[in-house]
Amino acid sequence: MFSITVTGSAELRAALVRLQGGVRDPKQVLQRIGVVLEGNVQERLQTKADPTGRAWLPLAPSTRARYAKADGQRRQGTLLVRTGLMMASLSSTVSGSRVTVGFARPYALYHETGTARGGRPWMPRRGMLTADPTAGTLGAQDEADVRAEIDRWLDSLAR
């Protein structure tokens, strides 16, 4: 299991502060945020683009050849959804005042960050969770969706 701590824009941080001030038990809203972010990741697995909208690079010819041989020349799945196991392991959990969204499959880390061999890029990054895994930033749409979910939740409390 790997962990990336997400840091948000000033607007997202302000929304989280509003949430802290308005809710004693944030579990329900954090669950809703987790579901929204899971949906965004599932969409990326369909559109084949990272949280910034940048299209993922296709598989290397050597990888395509290896998969074709392993699959008996029958094409299975699509880019990052070859067997469906990684996608099926996507989940979100809430613990205290934290929501965690991620994959139970350890190789998801390699797709999220990319890999290198001998100091040279090997497998390109195909981000699903973060706009920048090093900085831990969400994509603009993810931030907007989280802020909207917080606003909806706070509005529902005011009624």
Side-chain angles (χ1 to χ4, degrees), residues 74-146:
R74 294 179 316 274
R75 174 109 171 115
Q76 289 187 349
T78 62
L79 181 62
L80 296 196
V81 189
R82 182 166 167 250
T83 65
L85 292 174
M86 185 175 69
M87 190 168 172
S89 78
L90 175 64
S91 67
S92 59
T93 57
V94 174
S95 176
S97 61
R98 173 179 299 201
V99 61
T100 302
V101 179
F103 296 92
R105 295 299 210 189
Y107 52 83
L109 171 65
Y110 304 125
H111 296 301
E112 183 66 28
T113 62
T115 63
R117 284 191 180 167
R120 300 178 67 161
W122 180 256
M123 186 176 76
R125 176 178 187 269
R126 295 181 180 100
M128 298 169 282
L129 300 165
T130 63
D132 179 348
T134 304
T137 53
L138 291 175
Q141 186 62 54
D142 289 333
E143 277 207 21
D145 291 346
V146 169

Side-chain angles (χ1 to χ4, degrees), residues 19 26-35 94 96-99:
L19 178 64
K27 183 175 183 175
Q28 196 172 20
V29 68
L30 291 174
Q31 287 172 331
R32 289 168 57 167
I33 289 169
V35 168
V94 174
S97 61
R98 173 179 299 201
V99 61

